Amino acid sequence: HSWLKNEEIFQLLCHCLEYGLTAASEPPQCPPGGCLYLYDRTVVKYFRADGHPWRLKPNGTSIRETHERLKVEGEPRINCYYAHCDSSQLQRRSYWLLCSSSPLVLVHYLDSKKSKVLRGGAATGGQAGSSLAVPMKVAGHRNRKKAAA
C-alpha cells in the first residue's frame, strides 16, 4: 500500500465516473489502512466521522488537520487535508479539486508504518520505480485495480 501520486489523485477526481466509481453514501467505521473512499460532500457532510481517534488541536475539541495544495504539471490543482491517528500509525488524507465546482472528495487511509516517503512526496511500500496498482475500496462498488496512467 502507498500514497497515491498527485497525478493519480487528479485523474481519479476528474474521471471517476469513467472509471465506474460511485460515491459512498456514508462514512465507514474505523476503515483500515489502504482504503480509498469517494464522497459527494453535498450528500455526506460528515465524511470525516469515521470512528478513528484523530489527534486533536490544543483546544482539545477539533481534529488537527494540516492543509497542502498539491501540484499537477507545476500548477496547484488539489486541496489535501491530512490527519494522524492518536493511537496508531494510521493517517487519513482527504483530496478535492481546486478551481472546480465538483463536490467530490477522495479520502485515503494508510498505515504510515508500512510505507516509505520518497522525495517529492510520493510514497511506496518499498517498490520504488515500479508502476502503481491501486486497490480501490469504494463503498457501493466492488474492489477494482487501476494501473497508473
PDB file of all heavy atoms in Angstrom, residues 5-43:
ATOM      1  N   LYS A   5      -0.002   9.182  -6.126  1.00  0.00           N
ATOM      2  CA  LYS A   5       0.728  10.319  -6.664  1.00  0.00           C
ATOM      3  C   LYS A   5      -0.278  11.407  -7.035  1.00  0.00           C
ATOM      4  O   LYS A   5      -1.449  11.132  -7.296  1.00  0.00           O
ATOM      5  CB  LYS A   5       1.531   9.893  -7.891  1.00  0.00           C
ATOM      6  CG  LYS A   5       2.614   8.900  -7.547  1.00  0.00           C
ATOM      7  CD  LYS A   5       3.342   8.441  -8.778  1.00  0.00           C
ATOM      8  CE  LYS A   5       4.365   7.379  -8.401  1.00  0.00           C
ATOM      9  NZ  LYS A   5       4.968   6.756  -9.567  1.00  0.00           N
ATOM     10  N   ASN A   6       0.190  12.645  -7.061  1.00  0.00           N
ATOM     11  CA  ASN A   6      -0.681  13.778  -7.364  1.00  0.00           C
ATOM     12  C   ASN A   6      -1.449  13.587  -8.666  1.00  0.00           C
ATOM     13  O   ASN A   6      -2.644  13.871  -8.746  1.00  0.00           O
ATOM     14  CB  ASN A   6       0.127  15.070  -7.431  1.00  0.00           C
ATOM     15  CG  ASN A   6       0.781  15.423  -6.115  1.00  0.00           C
ATOM     16  OD1 ASN A   6       0.589  14.742  -5.111  1.00  0.00           O
ATOM     17  ND2 ASN A   6       1.552  16.490  -6.113  1.00  0.00           N
ATOM     18  N   GLU A   7      -0.762  13.105  -9.694  1.00  0.00           N
ATOM     19  CA  GLU A   7      -1.398  12.900 -10.996  1.00  0.00           C
ATOM     20  C   GLU A   7      -2.499  11.849 -10.921  1.00  0.00           C
ATOM     21  O   GLU A   7      -3.530  11.973 -11.576  1.00  0.00           O
ATOM     22  CB  GLU A   7      -0.354  12.500 -12.052  1.00  0.00           C
ATOM     23  CG  GLU A   7       0.633  13.604 -12.406  1.00  0.00           C
ATOM     24  CD  GLU A   7       1.742  13.805 -11.374  1.00  0.00           C
ATOM     25  OE1 GLU A   7       1.901  12.957 -10.456  1.00  0.00           O
ATOM     26  OE2 GLU A   7       2.433  14.830 -11.461  1.00  0.00           O
ATOM     27  N   GLU A   8      -2.286  10.805 -10.114  1.00  0.00           N
ATOM     28  CA  GLU A   8      -3.293   9.756  -9.953  1.00  0.00           C
ATOM     29  C   GLU A   8      -4.532  10.294  -9.234  1.00  0.00           C
ATOM     30  O   GLU A   8      -5.658   9.985  -9.626  1.00  0.00           O
ATOM     31  CB  GLU A   8      -2.698   8.573  -9.183  1.00  0.00           C
ATOM     32  CG  GLU A   8      -1.603   7.873  -9.950  1.00  0.00           C
ATOM     33  CD  GLU A   8      -0.818   6.883  -9.111  1.00  0.00           C
ATOM     34  OE1 GLU A   8      -0.625   7.115  -7.897  1.00  0.00           O
ATOM     35  OE2 GLU A   8      -0.397   5.868  -9.681  1.00  0.00           O
ATOM     36  N   ILE A   9      -4.323  11.094  -8.205  1.00  0.00           N
ATOM     37  CA  ILE A   9      -5.443  11.701  -7.482  1.00  0.00           C
ATOM     38  C   ILE A   9      -6.247  12.581  -8.424  1.00  0.00           C
ATOM     39  O   ILE A   9      -7.477  12.513  -8.472  1.00  0.00           O
ATOM     40  CB  ILE A   9      -4.929  12.535  -6.290  1.00  0.00           C
ATOM     41  CG1 ILE A   9      -4.196  11.646  -5.288  1.00  0.00           C
ATOM     42  CG2 ILE A   9      -6.070  13.299  -5.617  1.00  0.00           C
ATOM     43  CD1 ILE A   9      -3.306  12.401  -4.327  1.00  0.00           C
ATOM     44  N   PHE A  10      -5.543  13.407  -9.190  1.00  0.00           N
ATOM     45  CA  PHE A  10      -6.190  14.316 -10.133  1.00  0.00           C
ATOM     46  C   PHE A  10      -7.018  13.540 -11.156  1.00  0.00           C
ATOM     47  O   PHE A  10      -8.175  13.882 -11.421  1.00  0.00           O
ATOM     48  CB  PHE A  10      -5.119  15.173 -10.830  1.00  0.00           C
ATOM     49  CG  PHE A  10      -5.671  16.260 -11.693  1.00  0.00           C
ATOM     50  CD1 PHE A  10      -6.243  17.394 -11.125  1.00  0.00           C
ATOM     51  CD2 PHE A  10      -5.608  16.163 -13.071  1.00  0.00           C
ATOM     52  CE1 PHE A  10      -6.752  18.398 -11.927  1.00  0.00           C
ATOM     53  CE2 PHE A  10      -6.109  17.163 -13.873  1.00  0.00           C
ATOM     54  CZ  PHE A  10      -6.684  18.297 -13.300  1.00  0.00           C
ATOM     55  N   GLN A  11      -6.461  12.475 -11.702  1.00  0.00           N
ATOM     56  CA  GLN A  11      -7.185  11.658 -12.687  1.00  0.00           C
ATOM     57  C   GLN A  11      -8.418  10.998 -12.070  1.00  0.00           C
ATOM     58  O   GLN A  11      -9.487  10.966 -12.684  1.00  0.00           O
ATOM     59  CB  GLN A  11      -6.264  10.597 -13.295  1.00  0.00           C
ATOM     60  CG  GLN A  11      -5.223  11.154 -14.235  1.00  0.00           C
ATOM     61  CD  GLN A  11      -5.849  11.847 -15.424  1.00  0.00           C
ATOM     62  OE1 GLN A  11      -6.793  11.360 -16.030  1.00  0.00           O
ATOM     63  NE2 GLN A  11      -5.322  13.016 -15.754  1.00  0.00           N
ATOM     64  N   LEU A  12      -8.283  10.474 -10.863  1.00  0.00           N
ATOM     65  CA  LEU A  12      -9.424   9.836 -10.197  1.00  0.00           C
ATOM     66  C   LEU A  12     -10.551  10.838  -9.945  1.00  0.00           C
ATOM     67  O   LEU A  12     -11.719  10.532 -10.168  1.00  0.00           O
ATOM     68  CB  LEU A  12      -8.999   9.196  -8.880  1.00  0.00           C
ATOM     69  CG  LEU A  12      -8.260   7.864  -8.991  1.00  0.00           C
ATOM     70  CD1 LEU A  12      -7.698   7.451  -7.639  1.00  0.00           C
ATOM     71  CD2 LEU A  12      -9.180   6.789  -9.530  1.00  0.00           C
ATOM     72  N   LEU A  13     -10.203  12.033  -9.473  1.00  0.00           N
ATOM     73  CA  LEU A  13     -11.230  13.035  -9.185  1.00  0.00           C
ATOM     74  C   LEU A  13     -11.875  13.586 -10.457  1.00  0.00           C
ATOM     75  O   LEU A  13     -13.067  13.880 -10.466  1.00  0.00           O
ATOM     76  CB  LEU A  13     -10.646  14.177  -8.346  1.00  0.00           C
ATOM     77  CG  LEU A  13     -10.364  13.824  -6.889  1.00  0.00           C
ATOM     78  CD1 LEU A  13      -9.545  14.914  -6.208  1.00  0.00           C
ATOM     79  CD2 LEU A  13     -11.642  13.558  -6.129  1.00  0.00           C
ATOM     80  N   CYS A  14     -11.096  13.715 -11.517  1.00  0.00           N
ATOM     81  CA  CYS A  14     -11.629  14.258 -12.779  1.00  0.00           C
ATOM     82  C   CYS A  14     -12.431  13.231 -13.579  1.00  0.00           C
ATOM     83  O   CYS A  14     -13.350  13.598 -14.309  1.00  0.00           O
ATOM     84  CB  CYS A  14     -10.491  14.775 -13.654  1.00  0.00           C
ATOM     85  SG  CYS A  14      -9.739  16.278 -13.039  1.00  0.00           S
ATOM     86  N   HIS A  15     -12.072  11.954 -13.454  1.00  0.00           N
ATOM     87  CA  HIS A  15     -12.659  10.921 -14.322  1.00  0.00           C
ATOM     88  C   HIS A  15     -13.264   9.752 -13.553  1.00  0.00           C
ATOM     89  O   HIS A  15     -13.319   8.641 -14.069  1.00  0.00           O
ATOM     90  CB  HIS A  15     -11.592  10.403 -15.288  1.00  0.00           C
ATOM     91  CG  HIS A  15     -10.952  11.476 -16.093  1.00  0.00           C
ATOM     92  ND1 HIS A  15     -11.594  12.135 -17.110  1.00  0.00           N
ATOM     93  CD2 HIS A  15      -9.718  12.030 -16.015  1.00  0.00           C
ATOM     94  CE1 HIS A  15     -10.792  13.042 -17.633  1.00  0.00           C
ATOM     95  NE2 HIS A  15      -9.652  13.007 -16.981  1.00  0.00           N
ATOM     96  N   CYS A  16     -13.730   9.997 -12.335  1.00  0.00           N
ATOM     97  CA  CYS A  16     -14.226   8.889 -11.505  1.00  0.00           C
ATOM     98  C   CYS A  16     -15.396   8.161 -12.161  1.00  0.00           C
ATOM     99  O   CYS A  16     -15.497   6.940 -12.061  1.00  0.00           O
ATOM    100  CB  CYS A  16     -14.589   9.362 -10.115  1.00  0.00           C
ATOM    101  SG  CYS A  16     -15.858  10.621 -10.079  1.00  0.00           S
ATOM    102  N   LEU A  17     -16.277   8.868 -12.841  1.00  0.00           N
ATOM    103  CA  LEU A  17     -17.418   8.202 -13.494  1.00  0.00           C
ATOM    104  C   LEU A  17     -16.949   7.302 -14.631  1.00  0.00           C
ATOM    105  O   LEU A  17     -17.487   6.214 -14.830  1.00  0.00           O
ATOM    106  CB  LEU A  17     -18.412   9.241 -14.005  1.00  0.00           C
ATOM    107  CG  LEU A  17     -19.088  10.082 -12.920  1.00  0.00           C
ATOM    108  CD1 LEU A  17     -20.000  11.127 -13.538  1.00  0.00           C
ATOM    109  CD2 LEU A  17     -19.844   9.202 -11.940  1.00  0.00           C
ATOM    110  N   GLU A  18     -15.935   7.737 -15.368  1.00  0.00           N
ATOM    111  CA  GLU A  18     -15.386   6.925 -16.453  1.00  0.00           C
ATOM    112  C   GLU A  18     -14.744   5.643 -15.927  1.00  0.00           C
ATOM    113  O   GLU A  18     -14.703   4.636 -16.620  1.00  0.00           O
ATOM    114  CB  GLU A  18     -14.355   7.729 -17.247  1.00  0.00           C
ATOM    115  CG  GLU A  18     -14.963   8.907 -17.978  1.00  0.00           C
ATOM    116  CD  GLU A  18     -13.916   9.849 -18.538  1.00  0.00           C
ATOM    117  OE1 GLU A  18     -12.822   9.372 -18.913  1.00  0.00           O
ATOM    118  OE2 GLU A  18     -14.193  11.059 -18.571  1.00  0.00           O
ATOM    119  N   TYR A  19     -14.231   5.693 -14.688  1.00  0.00           N
ATOM    120  CA  TYR A  19     -13.634   4.509 -14.068  1.00  0.00           C
ATOM    121  C   TYR A  19     -14.682   3.622 -13.403  1.00  0.00           C
ATOM    122  O   TYR A  19     -14.349   2.593 -12.833  1.00  0.00           O
ATOM    123  CB  TYR A  19     -12.577   4.908 -13.028  1.00  0.00           C
ATOM    124  CG  TYR A  19     -11.368   5.607 -13.602  1.00  0.00           C
ATOM    125  CD1 TYR A  19     -10.873   6.757 -13.013  1.00  0.00           C
ATOM    126  CD2 TYR A  19     -10.721   5.121 -14.729  1.00  0.00           C
ATOM    127  CE1 TYR A  19      -9.760   7.406 -13.523  1.00  0.00           C
ATOM    128  CE2 TYR A  19      -9.611   5.757 -15.251  1.00  0.00           C
ATOM    129  CZ  TYR A  19      -9.135   6.900 -14.639  1.00  0.00           C
ATOM    130  OH  TYR A  19      -8.041   7.533 -15.156  1.00  0.00           O
ATOM    131  N   GLY A  20     -15.933   4.049 -13.428  1.00  0.00           N
ATOM    132  CA  GLY A  20     -17.008   3.255 -12.836  1.00  0.00           C
ATOM    133  C   GLY A  20     -17.109   3.377 -11.334  1.00  0.00           C
ATOM    134  O   GLY A  20     -17.723   2.530 -10.678  1.00  0.00           O
ATOM    135  N   LEU A  21     -16.537   4.432 -10.759  1.00  0.00           N
ATOM    136  CA  LEU A  21     -16.585   4.626  -9.311  1.00  0.00           C
ATOM    137  C   LEU A  21     -17.849   5.380  -8.924  1.00  0.00           C
ATOM    138  O   LEU A  21     -18.290   6.276  -9.636  1.00  0.00           O
ATOM    139  CB  LEU A  21     -15.359   5.418  -8.847  1.00  0.00           C
ATOM    140  CG  LEU A  21     -14.011   4.814  -9.206  1.00  0.00           C
ATOM    141  CD1 LEU A  21     -12.889   5.728  -8.765  1.00  0.00           C
ATOM    142  CD2 LEU A  21     -13.857   3.447  -8.566  1.00  0.00           C
ATOM    143  N   THR A  22     -18.426   5.016  -7.806  1.00  0.00           N
ATOM    144  CA  THR A  22     -19.601   5.715  -7.291  1.00  0.00           C
ATOM    145  C   THR A  22     -19.293   6.256  -5.905  1.00  0.00           C
ATOM    146  O   THR A  22     -18.469   5.693  -5.179  1.00  0.00           O
ATOM    147  CB  THR A  22     -20.822   4.768  -7.205  1.00  0.00           C
ATOM    148  OG1 THR A  22     -20.472   3.650  -6.390  1.00  0.00           O
ATOM    149  CG2 THR A  22     -21.240   4.292  -8.570  1.00  0.00           C
ATOM    150  N   ALA A  23     -19.948   7.341  -5.554  1.00  0.00           N
ATOM    151  CA  ALA A  23     -19.725   7.969  -4.255  1.00  0.00           C
ATOM    152  C   ALA A  23     -20.406   7.165  -3.149  1.00  0.00           C
ATOM    153  O   ALA A  23     -21.510   6.661  -3.326  1.00  0.00           O
ATOM    154  CB  ALA A  23     -20.243   9.400  -4.269  1.00  0.00           C
ATOM    155  N   ALA A  24     -19.721   7.070  -2.007  1.00  0.00           N
ATOM    156  CA  ALA A  24     -20.280   6.375  -0.844  1.00  0.00           C
ATOM    157  C   ALA A  24     -21.386   7.222  -0.232  1.00  0.00           C
ATOM    158  O   ALA A  24     -21.360   8.447  -0.302  1.00  0.00           O
ATOM    159  CB  ALA A  24     -19.176   6.124   0.182  1.00  0.00           C
ATOM    160  N   SER A  25     -22.357   6.570   0.382  1.00  0.00           N
ATOM    161  CA  SER A  25     -23.490   7.286   0.965  1.00  0.00           C
ATOM    162  C   SER A  25     -23.291   7.599   2.444  1.00  0.00           C
ATOM    163  O   SER A  25     -24.032   8.389   3.018  1.00  0.00           O
ATOM    164  CB  SER A  25     -24.773   6.485   0.776  1.00  0.00           C
ATOM    165  OG  SER A  25     -24.637   5.221   1.381  1.00  0.00           O
ATOM    166  N   GLU A  26     -22.292   6.971   3.072  1.00  0.00           N
ATOM    167  CA  GLU A  26     -21.982   7.248   4.476  1.00  0.00           C
ATOM    168  C   GLU A  26     -20.546   6.818   4.754  1.00  0.00           C
ATOM    169  O   GLU A  26     -20.006   5.951   4.071  1.00  0.00           O
ATOM    170  CB  GLU A  26     -22.941   6.529   5.424  1.00  0.00           C
ATOM    171  CG  GLU A  26     -22.902   5.023   5.325  1.00  0.00           C
ATOM    172  CD  GLU A  26     -23.952   4.378   6.214  1.00  0.00           C
ATOM    173  OE1 GLU A  26     -25.099   4.846   6.211  1.00  0.00           O
ATOM    174  OE2 GLU A  26     -23.605   3.409   6.904  1.00  0.00           O
ATOM    175  N   PRO A  27     -19.906   7.435   5.757  1.00  0.00           N
ATOM    176  CA  PRO A  27     -18.527   7.054   6.060  1.00  0.00           C
ATOM    177  C   PRO A  27     -18.461   5.689   6.743  1.00  0.00           C
ATOM    178  O   PRO A  27     -19.382   5.315   7.472  1.00  0.00           O
ATOM    179  CB  PRO A  27     -18.050   8.160   7.005  1.00  0.00           C
ATOM    180  CG  PRO A  27     -19.275   8.772   7.557  1.00  0.00           C
ATOM    181  CD  PRO A  27     -20.374   8.550   6.561  1.00  0.00           C
ATOM    182  N   PRO A  28     -17.393   4.941   6.511  1.00  0.00           N
ATOM    183  CA  PRO A  28     -17.227   3.647   7.175  1.00  0.00           C
ATOM    184  C   PRO A  28     -16.826   3.860   8.634  1.00  0.00           C
ATOM    185  O   PRO A  28     -16.422   4.964   9.018  1.00  0.00           O
ATOM    186  CB  PRO A  28     -16.074   3.017   6.400  1.00  0.00           C
ATOM    187  CG  PRO A  28     -15.261   4.199   5.981  1.00  0.00           C
ATOM    188  CD  PRO A  28     -16.254   5.285   5.680  1.00  0.00           C
ATOM    189  N   GLN A  29     -16.933   2.841   9.432  1.00  0.00           N
ATOM    190  CA  GLN A  29     -16.474   2.920  10.816  1.00  0.00           C
ATOM    191  C   GLN A  29     -15.109   2.253  10.925  1.00  0.00           C
ATOM    192  O   GLN A  29     -14.960   1.070  10.625  1.00  0.00           O
ATOM    193  CB  GLN A  29     -17.473   2.263  11.768  1.00  0.00           C
ATOM    194  CG  GLN A  29     -18.674   3.140  12.048  1.00  0.00           C
ATOM    195  CD  GLN A  29     -18.267   4.477  12.654  1.00  0.00           C
ATOM    196  OE1 GLN A  29     -17.652   4.537  13.713  1.00  0.00           O
ATOM    197  NE2 GLN A  29     -18.605   5.561  11.969  1.00  0.00           N
ATOM    198  N   CYS A  30     -14.113   3.040  11.305  1.00  0.00           N
ATOM    199  CA  CYS A  30     -12.734   2.596  11.526  1.00  0.00           C
ATOM    200  C   CYS A  30     -12.158   1.824  10.332  1.00  0.00           C
ATOM    201  O   CYS A  30     -11.727   0.667  10.481  1.00  0.00           O
ATOM    202  CB  CYS A  30     -12.621   1.791  12.801  1.00  0.00           C
ATOM    203  SG  CYS A  30     -13.054   2.729  14.272  1.00  0.00           S
ATOM    204  N   PRO A  31     -12.128   2.432   9.135  1.00  0.00           N
ATOM    205  CA  PRO A  31     -11.561   1.737   7.978  1.00  0.00           C
ATOM    206  C   PRO A  31     -10.068   1.491   8.164  1.00  0.00           C
ATOM    207  O   PRO A  31      -9.376   2.305   8.782  1.00  0.00           O
ATOM    208  CB  PRO A  31     -11.826   2.702   6.824  1.00  0.00           C
ATOM    209  CG  PRO A  31     -11.934   4.034   7.466  1.00  0.00           C
ATOM    210  CD  PRO A  31     -12.538   3.795   8.813  1.00  0.00           C
ATOM    211  N   PRO A  32      -9.561   0.374   7.652  1.00  0.00           N
ATOM    212  CA  PRO A  32      -8.131   0.065   7.784  1.00  0.00           C
ATOM    213  C   PRO A  32      -7.304   0.844   6.770  1.00  0.00           C
ATOM    214  O   PRO A  32      -7.829   1.410   5.815  1.00  0.00           O
ATOM    215  CB  PRO A  32      -8.080  -1.436   7.489  1.00  0.00           C
ATOM    216  CG  PRO A  32      -9.223  -1.657   6.553  1.00  0.00           C
ATOM    217  CD  PRO A  32     -10.305  -0.706   7.003  1.00  0.00           C
ATOM    218  N   GLY A  33      -5.999   0.848   6.977  1.00  0.00           N
ATOM    219  CA  GLY A  33      -5.084   1.470   6.038  1.00  0.00           C
ATOM    220  C   GLY A  33      -5.178   0.799   4.675  1.00  0.00           C
ATOM    221  O   GLY A  33      -5.417  -0.399   4.576  1.00  0.00           O
ATOM    222  N   GLY A  34      -5.027   1.586   3.622  1.00  0.00           N
ATOM    223  CA  GLY A  34      -5.088   1.060   2.262  1.00  0.00           C
ATOM    224  C   GLY A  34      -6.422   1.293   1.594  1.00  0.00           C
ATOM    225  O   GLY A  34      -6.567   1.040   0.405  1.00  0.00           O
ATOM    226  N   CYS A  35      -7.411   1.796   2.327  1.00  0.00           N
ATOM    227  CA  CYS A  35      -8.746   2.016   1.757  1.00  0.00           C
ATOM    228  C   CYS A  35      -8.873   3.409   1.157  1.00  0.00           C
ATOM    229  O   CYS A  35      -8.308   4.369   1.667  1.00  0.00           O
ATOM    230  CB  CYS A  35      -9.813   1.861   2.834  1.00  0.00           C
ATOM    231  SG  CYS A  35     -10.013   0.181   3.396  1.00  0.00           S
ATOM    232  N   LEU A  36      -9.632   3.478   0.076  1.00  0.00           N
ATOM    233  CA  LEU A  36      -9.965   4.737  -0.594  1.00  0.00           C
ATOM    234  C   LEU A  36     -11.479   4.853  -0.636  1.00  0.00           C
ATOM    235  O   LEU A  36     -12.159   3.878  -0.951  1.00  0.00           O
ATOM    236  CB  LEU A  36      -9.454   4.740  -2.033  1.00  0.00           C
ATOM    237  CG  LEU A  36      -7.969   4.873  -2.248  1.00  0.00           C
ATOM    238  CD1 LEU A  36      -7.617   4.486  -3.666  1.00  0.00           C
ATOM    239  CD2 LEU A  36      -7.530   6.283  -1.963  1.00  0.00           C
ATOM    240  N   TYR A  37     -11.997   6.040  -0.328  1.00  0.00           N
ATOM    241  CA  TYR A  37     -13.438   6.283  -0.395  1.00  0.00           C
ATOM    242  C   TYR A  37     -13.692   7.562  -1.165  1.00  0.00           C
ATOM    243  O   TYR A  37     -12.971   8.548  -0.999  1.00  0.00           O
ATOM    244  CB  TYR A  37     -14.041   6.385   1.011  1.00  0.00           C
ATOM    245  CG  TYR A  37     -13.978   5.099   1.775  1.00  0.00           C
ATOM    246  CD1 TYR A  37     -12.885   4.795   2.572  1.00  0.00           C
ATOM    247  CD2 TYR A  37     -14.988   4.160   1.675  1.00  0.00           C
ATOM    248  CE1 TYR A  37     -12.812   3.595   3.260  1.00  0.00           C
ATOM    249  CE2 TYR A  37     -14.927   2.958   2.358  1.00  0.00           C
ATOM    250  CZ  TYR A  37     -13.834   2.689   3.149  1.00  0.00           C
ATOM    251  OH  TYR A  37     -13.769   1.496   3.820  1.00  0.00           O
ATOM    252  N   LEU A  38     -14.715   7.546  -1.970  1.00  0.00           N
ATOM    253  CA  LEU A  38     -15.135   8.704  -2.742  1.00  0.00           C
ATOM    254  C   LEU A  38     -16.464   9.180  -2.169  1.00  0.00           C
ATOM    255  O   LEU A  38     -17.371   8.371  -1.966  1.00  0.00           O
ATOM    256  CB  LEU A  38     -15.293   8.309  -4.218  1.00  0.00           C
ATOM    257  CG  LEU A  38     -15.663   9.412  -5.186  1.00  0.00           C
ATOM    258  CD1 LEU A  38     -14.508  10.409  -5.326  1.00  0.00           C
ATOM    259  CD2 LEU A  38     -15.993   8.807  -6.551  1.00  0.00           C
ATOM    260  N   TYR A  39     -16.573  10.478  -1.902  1.00  0.00           N
ATOM    261  CA  TYR A  39     -17.796  11.052  -1.345  1.00  0.00           C
ATOM    262  C   TYR A  39     -18.223  12.271  -2.145  1.00  0.00           C
ATOM    263  O   TYR A  39     -17.388  12.974  -2.706  1.00  0.00           O
ATOM    264  CB  TYR A  39     -17.594  11.515   0.107  1.00  0.00           C
ATOM    265  CG  TYR A  39     -17.182  10.447   1.063  1.00  0.00           C
ATOM    266  CD1 TYR A  39     -15.866  10.342   1.483  1.00  0.00           C
ATOM    267  CD2 TYR A  39     -18.106   9.539   1.557  1.00  0.00           C
ATOM    268  CE1 TYR A  39     -15.480   9.359   2.373  1.00  0.00           C
ATOM    269  CE2 TYR A  39     -17.722   8.557   2.445  1.00  0.00           C
ATOM    270  CZ  TYR A  39     -16.415   8.465   2.842  1.00  0.00           C
ATOM    271  OH  TYR A  39     -16.026   7.485   3.723  1.00  0.00           O
ATOM    272  N   ASP A  40     -19.506  12.532  -2.115  1.00  0.00           N
ATOM    273  CA  ASP A  40     -20.057  13.788  -2.587  1.00  0.00           C
ATOM    274  C   ASP A  40     -20.276  14.610  -1.317  1.00  0.00           C
ATOM    275  O   ASP A  40     -21.108  14.261  -0.477  1.00  0.00           O
ATOM    276  CB  ASP A  40     -21.382  13.548  -3.319  1.00  0.00           C
ATOM    277  CG  ASP A  40     -22.026  14.811  -3.834  1.00  0.00           C
ATOM    278  OD1 ASP A  40     -21.850  15.881  -3.211  1.00  0.00           O
ATOM    279  OD2 ASP A  40     -22.718  14.733  -4.859  1.00  0.00           O
ATOM    280  N   ARG A  41     -19.523  15.706  -1.151  1.00  0.00           N
ATOM    281  CA  ARG A  41     -19.583  16.494   0.091  1.00  0.00           C
ATOM    282  C   ARG A  41     -20.948  17.120   0.337  1.00  0.00           C
ATOM    283  O   ARG A  41     -21.269  17.470   1.471  1.00  0.00           O
ATOM    284  CB  ARG A  41     -18.530  17.600   0.073  1.00  0.00           C
ATOM    285  CG  ARG A  41     -17.121  17.067   0.217  1.00  0.00           C
ATOM    286  CD  ARG A  41     -16.124  18.178   0.207  1.00  0.00           C
ATOM    287  NE  ARG A  41     -16.066  18.744  -1.147  1.00  0.00           N
ATOM    288  CZ  ARG A  41     -15.445  19.848  -1.472  1.00  0.00           C
ATOM    289  NH1 ARG A  41     -14.823  20.547  -0.566  1.00  0.00           N
ATOM    290  NH2 ARG A  41     -15.426  20.267  -2.720  1.00  0.00           N
ATOM    291  N   THR A  42     -21.751  17.284  -0.711  1.00  0.00           N
ATOM    292  CA  THR A  42     -23.086  17.851  -0.505  1.00  0.00           C
ATOM    293  C   THR A  42     -24.064  16.806   0.044  1.00  0.00           C
ATOM    294  O   THR A  42     -25.068  17.162   0.640  1.00  0.00           O
ATOM    295  CB  THR A  42     -23.651  18.438  -1.814  1.00  0.00           C
ATOM    296  OG1 THR A  42     -23.767  17.397  -2.785  1.00  0.00           O
ATOM    297  CG2 THR A  42     -22.758  19.548  -2.347  1.00  0.00           C
ATOM    298  N   VAL A  43     -23.746  15.530  -0.147  1.00  0.00           N
ATOM    299  CA  VAL A  43     -24.601  14.439   0.333  1.00  0.00           C
ATOM    300  C   VAL A  43     -24.099  13.915   1.683  1.00  0.00           C
ATOM    301  O   VAL A  43     -24.885  13.688   2.604  1.00  0.00           O
ATOM    302  CB  VAL A  43     -24.653  13.283  -0.696  1.00  0.00           C
ATOM    303  CG1 VAL A  43     -25.432  12.101  -0.154  1.00  0.00           C
ATOM    304  CG2 VAL A  43     -25.239  13.777  -2.009  1.00  0.00           C
TER     305      VAL A  43
END
